[in-house]
Structures are given as C-alpha cells and as structure tokens.
C-alpha cells in the first residue's frame, strides 16, 4: 500500500486510537485513515509481521503507530494490552473492534462445535473483552468513541453462515445496549455494518471485486463517526456498494 502523507486537517491530533485486526484488510485501512487524521494508533492483532507492515505504512506517511500482539479471545492478553496502552500512552480515545473471522462452511447442523466456539469467541466475546478493558479509561476521561465493525449479515439471513450471522446479530445487540450504558459517561458507541468487502475474510465467488466495497470505504465511515460533532452520534451505519457486484 502506497503511503499518503497526513491530511492537512488533523481533527484527531492528540487522540489515541486502538484498532483490533489491524494487520490487514479493513483494520489496516482504518488504522491508516485515523493516523492520517492525526491519531496515535495502537495496532492490535495476532500476527506481528502484518501489524508491523501497517505500522511502517503509517510511519512512512508521517504518522504514529504502536504494535501490540493480542488475541482478542484471550482475556489475559486483552487485559495486558489495556495496561500497556494506559502505561505508555495514558489514554484511549477511540476503540475500533474490527477483529473477526468468517465461517461459511455449510449448514449449521454440520458445523463442528469447536468452529462455533472459535467464531463466537473472536467475533463477539472478543469485543466484550476489549470494551471491558478500555471503557474504564474512557469513563475516567468522560469522553471516547467505541466502534464495532459488524456486517449486513447481522441484519439479514445468511444460509451456510449461521454462526457468523449469529455473532454479528449478537454484536449489533451488544452495541445498541452498551451505547445506552455509556451515553451518560459521554462515550459514543456505534456499529458499522458493511456488505461484501473485497478482503480475504469471506468467499466472493461470481462477484466483481471492482464493484465490491473496499476496506477504505469502511475506514471512511469510521473516520466520519469519530469526527462527528460532540452533541450527536451516529449509532449505526449500513454500508452497501453502489452497484451490486
């Protein structure tokens, strides 16, 4: 990915943004976009090499990034990440829960239980762990924004992907509920539900990649949310391609 310099306007200057699944795809695009707007980005994920690639892209553009290897389904790892952020940066203004895996292997009655556990643990439990670790920092500061990356599969039926759909339906419900819990602390909680995005996450047989959503489209929506005027927030974004792929 060719690095671009920081945006002329840096509305996120001085803010710290924590992004999970930041090594590639949507997470990397979000991290790069927020860094371009002035945020210090904390890149979380399971694979150091890909996280370092994203960090290099950000650094080459004049931005700031730190890498924390973290499996969001591991509570101890998430708590350690929280302590690292608080200890080194002293704050977390933005949390983007993007880490997730697909699951499109066939009908639910044929799905191995360990596959169900893996999908739900990463896509849903991991978001719970991250909010549990980082929301208290935002509450102490009386400001913050949490954005959960869901899917239109959390709004519509997804045959042969029921576990994935369940994780995203659950994520939507979690988001709406946590938004109400944290509004009184001046923390905004939003969910972004994209349609098919041109990444490695899911199969796109027969679809035209050029017509599909791109990771940068999701990053644009996230940047819009975190720069919203302080008296309001967008609770949900449904993101679709202009032309059906």
């Amino acid at each position: 990915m060719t690095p671009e310099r920081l945006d002329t306007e840096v509305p996120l200057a001085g803010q710290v943004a924590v992004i999970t699944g930041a090594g590639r795809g949507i997470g990397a695009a979000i991290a790069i976009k927020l860094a371009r707007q002035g945020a210090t980005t904390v890149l979380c994920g399971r694979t150091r090499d890909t996280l370092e690639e994203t960090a290099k892209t950000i650094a080459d553009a004049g931005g700031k990034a730190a890498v924390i290897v973290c499996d969001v389904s591991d509570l101890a790892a998430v708590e350690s990440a929280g302590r690292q952020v608080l200890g080194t940066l002293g704050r977390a203004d933005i949390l983007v829960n993007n880490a997730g895996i697909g699951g499109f292997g066939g009908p639910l009655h044929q799905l191995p239980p360990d596959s169900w556990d893996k999908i739900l643990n990463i896509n849903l439990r991991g978001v719970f762990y991250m909010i549990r670790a980082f929301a208290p920092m935002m509450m102490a500061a009386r400001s913050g924004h949490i954005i959960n990356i869901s899917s239109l599969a959390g709004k519509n039926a997804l045959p042969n992907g029921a576990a994935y759909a369940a994780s995203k339906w659950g994520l939507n419900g979690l988001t709406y509920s946590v938004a109400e819990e944290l509004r009184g602390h001046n923390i905004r909680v939003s969910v972004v539900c994209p349609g098919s995005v041109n990444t490695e996450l899911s199969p796109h047989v027969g679809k035209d990649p050029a017509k599909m959503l791109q990771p940068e489209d999701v990053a644009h929506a996230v940047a819009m949310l975190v720069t919203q005027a302080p008296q309001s927030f967008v609770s949900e974004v449904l993101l679709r391609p202009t032309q059906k792929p």
Side-chain angles (χ1 to χ4, degrees):
M1 186 177 295
T2 302
E4 298 181 52
R5 303 306 296 178
L6 292 178
D7 292 350
T8 304
E9 296 184 6
V10 283
L12 302 180
Q15 296 193 37
V16 174
V18 179
I19 305 101
T20 66
R24 56 187 174 184
I26 293 172
I30 291 170
I32 291 166
K33 180 70 172 179
L34 298 187
R36 286 185 59 198
Q37 296 200 336
T40 295
T41 53
V42 179
L43 315 178
C44 297
R46 292 180 292 179
T47 307
R48 179 173 293 277
D49 288 348
T50 57
L51 294 173
E52 294 286 1
E53 289 174 11
T54 304
K56 183 178 186 304
T57 299
I58 290 171
D60 288 347
K64 299 177 182 178
V67 168
I68 297 179
V69 176
C70 175
D71 179 349
V72 298
S73 67
D74 182 339
L75 179 58
V78 171
E79 290 177 338
S80 175
R83 288 192 296 270
Q84 289 182 64
V85 170
L86 186 60
T88 58
L89 298 170
R91 61 192 296 159
D93 303 281
I94 299 166
L95 170 62
V96 182
N97 289 306
N98 165 76
I101 59 172
F104 314 98
L108 185 67
H109 69 274
Q110 296 178 357
L111 184 73
D114 59 344
S115 295
W116 167 275
D117 289 342
K118 184 176 182 180
I119 293 167
L120 271 291
N121 284 344
I122 293 176
N123 293 3
L124 189 54
R125 184 187 295 267
V127 175
F128 158 52
Y129 286 168
M130 291 296 293
I131 291 174
R132 187 176 183 272
F134 286 91
M137 298 183 211
M138 298 180 179
M139 293 168 68
R142 289 203 55 78
S143 68
H145 205 144
I146 298 170
I147 298 176
N148 298 326
I149 306 302
S150 183
S151 169
L152 288 181
K155 293 284 185 178
N156 305 300
L158 185 65
N160 299 315
Y164 177 79
S167 72
K168 295 304 185 179
W169 281 77
L171 180 56
N172 291 352
L174 179 150
T175 303
Y176 310 143
S177 301
V178 173
E180 293 304 310
E181 294 174 0
L182 296 180
R183 284 175 75 177
H185 298 279
N186 200 36
I187 299 167
R188 304 186 289 188
V189 185
S190 309
V191 65
V192 178
C193 300
S196 295
V197 183
N198 186 23
T199 69
E200 300 173 355
L201 178 65
S202 60
H204 304 298
V205 177
K207 293 186 177 182
D208 181 354
K211 292 182 179 179
M212 295 171 64
L213 294 171
Q214 303 301 315
E216 291 74 19
D217 296 322
V218 184
H220 177 82
V222 171
M224 176 192 73
L225 293 173
V226 299
T227 55
Q228 182 84 1
Q231 73 275 8
S232 65
F233 78 104
V234 178
S235 61
E236 179 181 73
V237 174
L238 307 184
L239 194 61
R240 308 175 191 274
T242 303
Q243 302 294 324
K244 288 189 176 182

